[in-house]
Amino acid sequence: MNNLSIKLNHISTYVCAFFFLALLISPESFKIAALPVVIIALFNILKTKPSLKIQPLKFIIISLAGYFILTVLSLLINGGSPSELDMPSRVILAILVLLFVAHYPPTAKGVFWGISLGSVFSSLIAIYHIKSIGGRAFDHLGYMLIQAGDISASLCVLSLVSVLFAKSKKDRLLLLIASIGFLLTLVTTILSEVRGAWIFTPVIILALLITYRALFSNRSKILGLTSIILIAILAYPTVKIRFDTVMANLTVYEHNESRNSVGARLDLWKAAMYSAQEKPFFGQGFNGVVHAKEKLIEQGKVGSVVLKYNRAHNQFFEELQTKGLIGVLVILCFFFIPLWALVKKWIGTDIEDDRHFFALAGCVHITAVIGYCLTQHFLAHHSGIIMYSLGAAIFAGAAFAVQQSTEVEKK
């Protein structure tokens, strides 16, 4: 390996670590977080073309590009504002990052340090805001509450992957910081009271702890379990209030009242399914959704509350109503082709191989975002599309890199 390649490997570590570190430290920091890795990928685009020869990456690139291409086709077929291309266009940048990271892989240690420090810093900022201002975590100073709560949940489960990596490498300092980051983001996610963040988060945490239980001593298991139980006890009043609110909303909804958070979502989902029945293949298009909703209100199938929201508050229903069954197929590929490839890589690599943990982090990252998309149009926001697509690109690129990151550390 020549000196330039070694330098680019080190730069790759810094920019990838910075991406996760800076995601949530301010309301708009996700934009700054993405800039270094995108810029360095753009400047080295010609050098990273050989990454296209890696077979799994070809399928991942097709799945990412398909999301953008279908949006273009939808606009050509059904019309709409060119601004609808704004969010999907971010996946093109993610493809460049994917190729760069696969050619110049970061060290796993560096990336997991970035995740762990990002978790600690963002949580401390959120807790400080709660103490000084009050209210829910991230519900102030410009943060978009639902998006920030979801990203906090992602940092939580990725910090747990960092804990597992540190345990496998016997890195005590990283283990300490990653553990603190995991516990703090667990607390802040709960304090954000964002319901969508908890669809898959507990399942992911439980699955990771069970799968990698051999890494922990009995003492560590007792300490970890005690910490989680204490957090659960402290969180119970908050969780109970949110649960009672959901049940109350459902009770009211049964009496045809949809003017609440849960009722509005249910009507939005119904509207998406009804409108898709009218145009099942290519959907209503971005311009046709409002007209379709107005017709459904006149027919008494949904409440007028659906006109208050532009989106379906569910990524899959949104694709269904705007792009039809083809849109649903494309969004499923968008998530599940990278997930399938990373699961295969995770199973096929030994725990001593850093790529094992990159693949695991990618699986966790994608699964968590799928959960957010069930109650929120997560990808319709800059923070969501950037966090998902660039995060998936970094993990997949590093997981399928021909050269192991551990080899770079030894140079």
Side-chain angles (χ1 to χ4, degrees), residues 182-183 186 221-233:
F182 167 64
L183 293 173
L186 191 61
K221 290 175 183 176
I222 292 170
L223 182 61
L225 183 61
T226 302
S227 300
I228 292 174
I229 289 173
L230 285 173
I231 290 173
I233 291 171

Side-chain angles (χ1 to χ4, degrees), residues 288-299:
V289 170
V290 173
H291 180 62
K293 287 179 180 178
E294 290 172 344
K295 285 172 61 178
L296 291 171
I297 293 169
E298 290 174 5
Q299 295 167 5

Side-chain angles (χ1 to χ4, degrees), residues 34 38 42 61 63-73 75 81-97 286 311 315 319 323 334 379-382 384-390 393:
V38 169
L42 280 169
I61 289 169
S63 69
L64 293 174
Y67 181 64
F68 173 75
I69 292 169
L70 182 62
T71 306
V72 174
L73 291 175
L75 290 173
S81 171
S83 65
E84 297 293 347
L85 289 173
D86 189 27
M87 305 302 169
S89 68
R90 300 300 185 269
V91 302
I92 306 302
L93 300 178
I95 291 170
L96 299 181
V97 171
F286 296 104
R311 307 288 183 175
Q315 189 72 46
E319 300 301 319
K323 302 169 191 171
F334 185 65
L379 303 181
H381 306 278
H382 281 100
I385 191 68
I386 288 173
M387 191 275 281
Y388 171 74
S389 61
L390 266 65

Side-chain angles (χ1 to χ4, degrees), residues 101-348:
V101 173
H103 197 70
Y104 299 108
T107 63
K109 182 176 180 179
V111 172
F112 288 125
W113 262 106
I115 291 169
S116 302
L117 289 174
S119 299
V120 172
F121 293 155
S122 61
S123 296
L124 291 177
I125 290 168
I127 291 170
Y128 171 76
H129 288 165
I130 292 172
K131 290 292 185 181
S132 59
I133 302 174
R136 297 158 64 179
F138 304 113
D139 191 19
H140 31 58
L141 303 182
Y143 282 98
M144 184 173 181
L145 175 59
I146 295 177
Q147 295 292 115
D150 289 341
I151 294 172
S152 178
S154 281
L155 289 173
C156 174
V157 291
L158 289 173
S159 289
L160 182 52
V161 176
S162 304
V163 169
L164 300 175
F165 171 79
K167 286 291 289 184
S168 73
K169 302 298 181 183
K170 297 180 173 57
D171 188 331
R172 292 186 177 181
L173 183 57
L174 177 57
L175 176 62
L176 174 63
I177 301 303
S179 299
I180 293 172
F182 167 64
L183 293 173
L184 284 177
T185 44
L186 191 61
V187 170
T188 52
T189 303
I190 292 169
L191 293 177
S192 73
E193 301 181 27
V194 175
R195 293 184 292 250
W198 286 98
I199 293 176
F200 288 151
T201 299
V203 178
I204 292 171
I205 292 172
L206 187 61
L208 289 174
L209 293 176
I210 292 173
T211 303
Y212 290 91
R213 62 188 181 279
L215 288 175
F216 299 93
S217 65
N218 289 333
R219 179 184 174 186
S220 296
K221 290 175 183 176
I222 292 170
L223 182 61
L225 183 61
T226 302
S227 300
I228 292 174
I229 289 173
L230 285 173
I231 290 173
I233 291 171
L234 292 172
Y236 175 75
T238 299
V239 174
K240 186 177 185 303
I241 290 171
R242 296 295 284 170
F243 178 79
D244 289 344
T245 300
V246 171
M247 297 309 295
N249 286 175
L250 286 172
T251 300
V252 173
Y253 183 75
E254 290 176 354
H255 295 86
N256 297 319
E257 175 54 71
S258 57
R259 286 176 295 181
N260 56 60
S261 176
V262 175
R265 277 181 169 81
L266 291 173
D267 262 12
L268 286 167
W269 300 349
K270 283 168 60 177
M273 288 188 287
Y274 282 129
S275 62
Q277 289 176 6
E278 184 179 332
K279 294 184 178 181
F281 295 107
F282 289 103
Q284 298 284 349
F286 296 104
N287 283 347
V289 170
V290 173
H291 180 62
K293 287 179 180 178
E294 290 172 344
K295 285 172 61 178
L296 291 171
I297 293 169
E298 290 174 5
Q299 295 167 5
K301 292 182 177 179
V302 296
S304 60
V305 70
V306 297
L307 291 176
K308 182 181 176 182
Y309 303 93
N310 294 327
R311 307 288 183 175
H313 272 268
N314 177 296
Q315 189 72 46
F316 304 97
F317 282 132
E318 177 64 17
E319 300 301 319
L320 179 65
Q321 70 179 4
T322 56
K323 302 169 191 171
L325 293 174
I326 294 175
V328 174
L329 176 62
V330 168
I331 196 66
L332 289 174
C333 291
F334 185 65
F335 287 126
F336 287 100
I337 286 179
L339 182 59
W340 168 77
L342 286 165
V343 167
K344 285 188 66 178
K345 187 67 176 180
W346 170 65
I347 294 171

